[in-house]
Amino acid sequence: MKILIVDDEEDIAGLIQFHLEEEGFQTEVCHNGMEVLPRLEKHLPDGIILDLMLPGIGGMDLCRRIKEKYPHIPILMVTAKTGETDVVLGLELGADDYIRKPFNIRELVARVRTVTRRSTDPAGEVQGTISTGKIQINPTAHKVFVEGTEIDLTLIEFKLLQLFAGNPGVAFSRDKLLDRIWGKDVFVTDRTVDVNIKRLRDKLLSEKERLETIRGVGYRFRDA
């Protein structure tokens, strides 16, 4: 798998690059946010490690632009900021996971392996076309339509909707969702689940009320 490392600190980018290549990944490096989008137009990586503090285009804006055009590419957001607001904003913009600086390099490599595996691992979801109410899900084409209009979902949002729609009426706890969607060796928190559920719900238009919060339990998708 090829990973694009976007970090303006050359020593950190080099450290990440060395350890990823030791683990069998191919890597490319960008030190300026302005370089990223033109590079993606030529070659799409299997995952992106994206620092938030970048010259040219800031990491938040870059994350939003990448996910708008390439929602299937997983992004691991790297932040030196300690505030939860920045983490939540990054997740709301489409980041699939995050890690704070200074990080343990083994943990970062494990997270990269986890987010890239999600792009190829079906995680047990129903694989056939799903039609429920005004929602149509085509897993093969990775497309979702609500009321006949195609909606853009990140990879995590797509997998969540696919799991819920394929199991109507089933209540999933946050822990169960973490295991099924993020993987058992995940490092993300319950808040990550909540942010992704909210983001998915906001995109479901008239069907959003079907994605129900069960207080003290988790979430459930109501049958049409």
Side-chain angles (χ1 to χ4, degrees):
M1 287 201 169
K2 182 176 291 184
I3 304 299
L4 177 62
I5 303 163
V6 186
D7 197 311
D8 64 323
E9 298 185 65
E10 294 187 14
D11 55 342
I12 292 179
L15 178 68
I16 295 171
Q17 184 176 31
F18 173 80
H19 283 278
L20 285 179
E21 291 183 353
E22 283 286 295
E23 293 295 321
F25 290 94
Q26 298 178 33
T27 63
E28 290 185 280
V29 177
C30 287
H31 298 301
N32 189 303
M34 296 292 292
E35 303 171 11
V36 176
L37 293 175
R39 183 167 298 195
L40 293 181
E41 290 178 0
K42 297 178 180 179
H43 303 288
L44 290 179
D46 298 295
I48 299 174
I49 298 174
L50 179 63
D51 187 35
L52 290 188
M53 305 297 289
L54 292 170
I57 302 176
M60 290 290 190
D61 189 27
L62 196 53
C63 179
R64 177 183 58 79
R65 294 192 195 186
I66 292 171
K67 283 297 187 177
E68 285 178 352
K69 194 168 185 179
Y70 311 105
H72 64 286
I73 299 179
I75 295 177
L76 173 63
M77 182 178 69
V78 180
T79 175
K81 299 182 178 181
T82 57
E84 184 180 3
T85 301
D86 295 294
V87 171
V88 172
L89 178 57
L91 293 171
E92 288 179 341
L93 289 173
D96 296 84
D97 196 1
Y98 70 92
I99 190 169
R100 287 191 173 97
K101 291 182 178 180
F103 50 77
N104 179 289
I105 191 65
R106 290 184 180 275
E107 180 182 353
L108 182 136
V109 171
R111 291 190 185 216
V112 170
R113 199 174 292 283
T114 298
V115 297
T116 53
R117 188 173 63 243
R118 292 176 207 150
S119 65
T120 57
D121 179 8
E125 296 96 339
V126 175
Q127 293 299 298
T129 300
I130 301 172
S131 182
T132 172
K134 299 177 183 178
I135 300 173
Q136 288 81 43
I137 305 170
N138 186 328
T140 303
H142 198 87
K143 290 186 176 183
V144 175
F145 297 85
V146 179
E147 301 174 357
T149 300
E150 185 176 356
I151 60 173
D152 291 326
L153 299 181
T154 66
L155 179 62
I156 291 296
E157 293 164 2
F158 185 90
K159 285 183 174 293
L160 282 168
L161 180 60
Q162 190 178 4
L163 179 63
F164 280 123
N167 298 274
V170 176
F172 289 94
S173 67
R174 290 173 177 82
D175 286 343
K176 180 63 71 175
L177 291 172
L178 283 170
D179 286 348
R180 293 288 295 271
I181 304 300
W182 280 265
K184 293 183 181 297
D185 57 348
V186 72
F187 297 92
V188 297
T189 65
D190 288 355
R191 184 59 187 267
T192 303
V193 176
D194 295 337
V195 168
N196 279 275
I197 291 289
K198 178 183 182 300
R199 200 168 59 195
L200 172 61
R201 183 183 282 138
D202 289 343
K203 293 180 179 181
L204 292 180
L205 305 176
S206 63
E207 297 283 81
K208 66 181 181 180
E209 298 302 325
R210 293 177 60 193
L211 185 46
E212 302 174 328
T213 301
I214 308 173
R215 191 177 300 277
V217 178
Y219 299 96
R220 175 180 61 206
F221 195 73
R222 191 176 69 242
D223 204 354

